């Protein structure tokens, strides 16, 4: 039997890696990704095109053309340089999804700085760990969040500048600077930092479902992968109105909320407001969104409100829907076909991969519950955990592995080369997730390596259990973890949040158990269901099974700085 996935011995030398010659293109010139996301679009004659429409939580709106974006990011770059900021300095963005967040992302890069986006909802401890690790020199924030920085400032000797956006006449402390785009001289042309392809660009601290957060460091040439995947996997074209719901504190919000779309010259819409299905549908209807990139957690919340909510709106503008961040349950794909007349296409990647690596392309037959196939140029397979060799039997579960060398691959973990090196084995980059590949080359996600349940020596993935649970009419979301068992080492325990209108009861539990018994193997059957109001999640919406599991085992829960409600 030959190899499965798209890994073939014959082609194994093929990688989406740039040759020395290609890398040299940027050496004398310009590989700065911020240039490609703003100025180049203007040079091509699209300066008047809308780069983004921003809407705040009160419904207020602001619009920026590509020309505005170019000038505003120049202005910020000059402002930073004027303060003596230097290439490679780390500049943190710690703001809600306001226009300055998006513009300063490009501004920092134009100056040559390394941009470090963090969720504005982070508490001071989460913030401190990341600023200390990166030895961040400057931070952009707002009055709303500055007090968190004040509380830790003394412990951060490298943090020299705190730029407070729209501080007005509020009193600032030492080392804090009021910043407003309207209040400083505009800069029409700026001598953009001549980044070579390997120049560091973005430092993204991983969502940390496991262990301590690590800073994945990316380079300017990552744009090649982000640009191409935005075009081909997300299918954005110049005529689209694109909405990526992710916060730039999460890699999805930068790779596909800034770099991918703007390097393709598309118009984005940005909503800086909390989740409500009504508000979201309203937003799509009002701005005639055509391409929509969101996450399974949000989709499950939309499902909770049912198709009757969808029917109140005209969502006919929607052309292509894509999901990322967690396994997309088959039920969600089927529901989306019913609700929007089209399926959600799944896309799989990580902070470390910088761009989509496995996905369903437009035009491809979607198998609900599968992540799709490797993106062209990416060599992906599943390998045996012991031999570290590609698995050749369709359906057999192994570790997802990628051939290193694609342009958006992270270049290191900041201050942690050992951890970086440990991710590469037998010439594969190991993603830390388990999956199987079917005879048609489709990848089927099983679970994060550390979320997999070992019951009596059999490995059971939480995804199949949770997907079965989700098909029950009362279940809104669920998490399956292993709990200690004297005989089987672990048995499955399911945490279930019910849809509104359903109350926890022995009857509901029995009904759920009877329902999933028909779908799951006896090994995968939960021994226990615990009803909860909600599940612990990271800020990017990932269920933190690790926390639930630790509780069952009476273990330390470890780092929880990305937990949603801290
Ligand atoms: C982009 C992003 C990466 C981890 C990844 C995996 C999970 C992401 C997924 C998925 C199943 C998908 N994940 N996409 N699991 N199906 N389509 O999410 O980056 O925050 O670093 O998380 O998320 O476990 O390893 P990041």
């Amino acid at each position: 039997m030959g190899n499965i996935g798209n890994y073939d011995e014959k082609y194994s030398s093929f990688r989406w890696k740039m040759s020395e010659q290609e890398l040299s293109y940027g050496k004398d010139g310009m590989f700065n990704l911020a240039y490609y996301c703003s100025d180049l679009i203007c040079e091509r004659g699209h300066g008047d095109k809308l780069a983004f429409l921003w809407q705040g939580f009160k419904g207020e709106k602001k619009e920026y053309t590509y020309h505005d974006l170019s000038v505003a990011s120049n202005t910020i770059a000059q402002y930073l340089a004027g303060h003596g900021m230097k290439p490679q300095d780390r500049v943190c963005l710690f703001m809600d999804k306001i226009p300055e967040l998006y513009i300063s992302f490009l501004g920092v890069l134009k100056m040559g700085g390394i941009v470090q986006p963090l969720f504005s909802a982070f508490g001071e401890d989460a913030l401190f760990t990341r600023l200390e690790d990166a030895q961040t020199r400057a931070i952009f924030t707002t009055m709303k969040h500055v007090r968190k920085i004040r509380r830790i400032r003394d412990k951060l000797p490298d943090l020299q500048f705190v730029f407070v956006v729209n501080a007005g006449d509020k009193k600032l402390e030492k080392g804090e600077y009021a910043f407003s785009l309207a209040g400083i001289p505009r800069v029409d042309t700026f001598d953009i930092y001549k980044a070579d392809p390997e120049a560091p660009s973005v430092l993204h601290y991983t969502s940390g479902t496991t262990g301590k957060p690590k800073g994945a460091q990316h380079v300017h040439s990552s744009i090649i992968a982000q640009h191409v995947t935005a075009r081909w996997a997300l299918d954005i074209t110049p005529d689209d109105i694109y909405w990526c719901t992710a916060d730039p504190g999460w890699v999805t919000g930068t790779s596909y909320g800034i770099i991918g779309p703007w390097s393709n010259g598309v118009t984005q819409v940005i909503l800086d407001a909390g989740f409500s299905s009504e508000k979201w549908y309203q937003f799509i209807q009002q701005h005639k969104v055509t391409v929509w990139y969101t996450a399974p957690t949000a989709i499950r919340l939309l499902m909770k409100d049912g198709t009757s909510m969808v029917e109140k709106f005209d969502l006919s503008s929607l052309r292509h829907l894509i999901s990322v961040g967690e396994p997309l349950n088959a039920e969600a794909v089927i529901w989306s076909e019913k609700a929007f007349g089209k399926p959600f296409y799944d896309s799989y990647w990580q902070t470390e991969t910088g761009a989509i690596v496995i996905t369903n392309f437009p035009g491809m037959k979607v198998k609900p519950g599968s992540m799709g196939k490797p993106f062209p140029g990416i060599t992906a397979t599943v390998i045996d955990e012991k031999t570290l060799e590609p698995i050749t039997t369709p359906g057999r579960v192994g570790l997802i592995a990628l051939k290193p060398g694609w342009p958006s691959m992270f270049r290191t973990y900041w201050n942690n080369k050992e951890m970086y090196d440990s991710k590469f084995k037998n010439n594969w980059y190991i993603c830390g997730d388990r999956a199987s590949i079917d005879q048609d080359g489709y990848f089927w996600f099983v679970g994060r390596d550390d979320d997999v349940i070992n019951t009596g020596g059999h490995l059971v993935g939480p995804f199949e259990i949770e997907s079965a649970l989700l098909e029950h009419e009362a279940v809104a979301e669920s998490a399956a973890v292993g709990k200690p068992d004297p005989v089987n080492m672990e048995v499955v325990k399911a945490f279930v949040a019910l849809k509104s209108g359903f109350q926890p009861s022995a009857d509901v539990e029995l009904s759920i158990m009877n329902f999933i018994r028909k779908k799951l193997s006896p090994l995968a059957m939960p021994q226990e269901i615990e009803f909860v109001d909600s599940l612990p999640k990271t800020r990017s919406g990932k269920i933190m099974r690790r926390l639930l599991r630790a509780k069952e085992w009476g273990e330390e829960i470890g780092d929880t700085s990305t937990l949603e409600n801290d």
Side-chain angles (χ1 to χ4, degrees), residues 48-63:
D48 291 338
K49 186 173 176 180
L50 209 56
F52 72 111
L53 175 141
W54 172 88
Q55 189 171 314
F57 64 94
K58 292 192 206 120
E60 69 277 33
K61 293 186 192 65
K62 287 184 185 164
E63 293 186 355

Side-chain angles (χ1 to χ4, degrees), residues 86-329:
K86 298 261 173 322
Q88 312 266 320
D89 280 347
R90 273 75 67 202
V91 183
C92 173
L93 308 181
F94 188 58
M95 295 178 263
D96 296 349
K97 286 155 77 179
I98 56 175
E100 285 81 356
L101 170 60
Y102 296 82
I103 299 165
S104 56
F105 183 89
L106 299 188
V108 173
L109 294 172
K110 281 187 172 179
M111 179 278 288
I114 302 177
V115 62
Q116 181 192 17
L118 293 178
F119 288 106
S120 61
F122 272 157
E124 63 206 57
D125 292 345
L127 183 63
F128 174 72
T129 322
R130 291 159 177 81
L131 294 180
E132 186 192 37
D133 188 57
Q135 293 176 287
T136 308
R137 186 159 177 220
I139 184 167
F140 278 94
T141 192
T142 56
M143 277 320 283
K144 186 173 159 195
H145 300 291
V146 76
R147 72 200 143 77
K148 293 187 261 187
I149 304 167
R150 285 178 184 166
R151 285 193 216 116
I152 54 174
R153 185 91 193 251
D154 286 351
K155 297 188 286 175
L156 295 166
D158 297 304
L159 186 62
Q160 208 177 336
F161 303 104
V162 176
F163 301 119
V164 186
V165 176
N166 299 332
D169 49 13
K170 301 259 172 30
K171 202 170 164 313
L172 296 181
E173 297 188 356
K174 191 167 159 277
E176 291 172 357
Y177 303 79
F179 170 86
S180 108
L181 266 171
I184 52 175
R186 66 177 255 160
V187 177
D188 287 304
T189 49
F190 178 78
D191 188 13
I192 297 176
Y193 173 71
K194 302 271 182 295
D196 77 40
E198 287 294 307
S201 55
V202 186
L203 185 59
H204 253 301
Y205 281 76
T206 55
S207 51
T209 49
T210 56
K212 212 171 131 52
K214 304 173 283 286
Q217 187 233 295
H218 289 280
V219 294
H220 277 266
S221 54
S222 70
I223 192 175
I224 296 168
Q226 290 144 348
H227 177 83
V228 172
T229 47
R231 172 66 194 88
W232 289 97
L234 303 185
D235 196 24
I236 59 174
T237 67
D239 296 334
D240 279 307
I241 304 292
Y242 169 69
W243 183 28
C244 169
T245 62
D247 186 304
W250 179 28
V251 67
T252 305
T254 58
S255 289
Y256 297 105
I258 298 179
I259 308 171
W262 281 344
S263 65
N264 277 283
V266 75
T267 297
Q268 304 203 60
V269 286
I270 295 166
L271 177 62
D272 182 19
F275 177 86
S276 122
S277 47
E278 201 166 357
K279 245 188 247 155
W280 277 31
Y281 293 146
Q282 176 78 47
F283 189 69
I284 293 172
Q285 171 177 284
Q286 189 182 352
H287 301 296
K288 300 195 170 46
V289 172
T290 56
V291 178
W292 184 22
Y293 197 23
T294 191
T297 327
I299 300 168
R300 286 193 294 264
L301 286 172
L302 297 172
M303 287 166 74
K304 221 169 155 178
D305 288 330
T307 47
S308 57
M309 179 65 87
V310 182
E311 281 152 18
K312 291 192 198 157
F313 299 88
D314 175 8
L315 305 180
S316 57
S317 59
L318 288 174
R319 179 177 67 74
H320 193 53
L321 321 177
I322 324 91
S323 165
V324 64
E326 283 204 296
L328 181 65
N329 315 79

Side-chain angles (χ1 to χ4, degrees), residues 19-93:
S19 65
E20 282 307 310
Q21 192 196 357
E22 283 162 328
L23 282 168
S24 73
Y25 293 160
K27 285 266 194 299
D28 53 340
M30 161 75 59
F31 230 96
N32 196 311
L33 72 82
Y35 162 77
Y36 292 93
C37 290
S38 55
D39 304 20
L40 180 65
I41 309 295
C42 298
E43 285 167 24
R44 285 180 181 155
H46 305 298
D48 291 338
K49 186 173 176 180
L50 209 56
F52 72 111
L53 175 141
W54 172 88
Q55 189 171 314
F57 64 94
K58 292 192 206 120
E60 69 277 33
K61 293 186 192 65
K62 287 184 185 164
E63 293 186 355
Y64 293 80
T65 63
Y66 274 96
H67 181 253
D68 297 335
L69 187 59
S70 162
V71 172
S73 54
N74 283 345
T75 305
I76 291 182
Q78 181 62 59
Y79 179 78
L80 289 169
H83 278 81
M85 299 289 297
K86 298 261 173 322
Q88 312 266 320
D89 280 347
R90 273 75 67 202
V91 183
C92 173
L93 308 181

Side-chain angles (χ1 to χ4, degrees), residues 205-209 250-252 256 293 296 323-328 346-353 355 358 370-371 400 429 431-434 445-449 451 463 538 540 542:
Y205 281 76
T206 55
S207 51
T209 49
W250 179 28
V251 67
T252 305
Y256 297 105
Y293 197 23
S323 165
V324 64
E326 283 204 296
L328 181 65
D346 198 5
S347 67
Y348 168 91
W349 57 292
Q350 304 178 303
T351 305
E352 288 83 348
T353 69
I358 298 172
S370 156
M371 310 198 291
I400 302 179
Y429 163 70
C431 296
D433 291 308
R434 280 170 195 264
F445 190 79
V446 170
R448 281 202 65 83
D449 198 18
D451 284 340
F463 181 49
T538 65
S540 57
K542 290 188 214 298

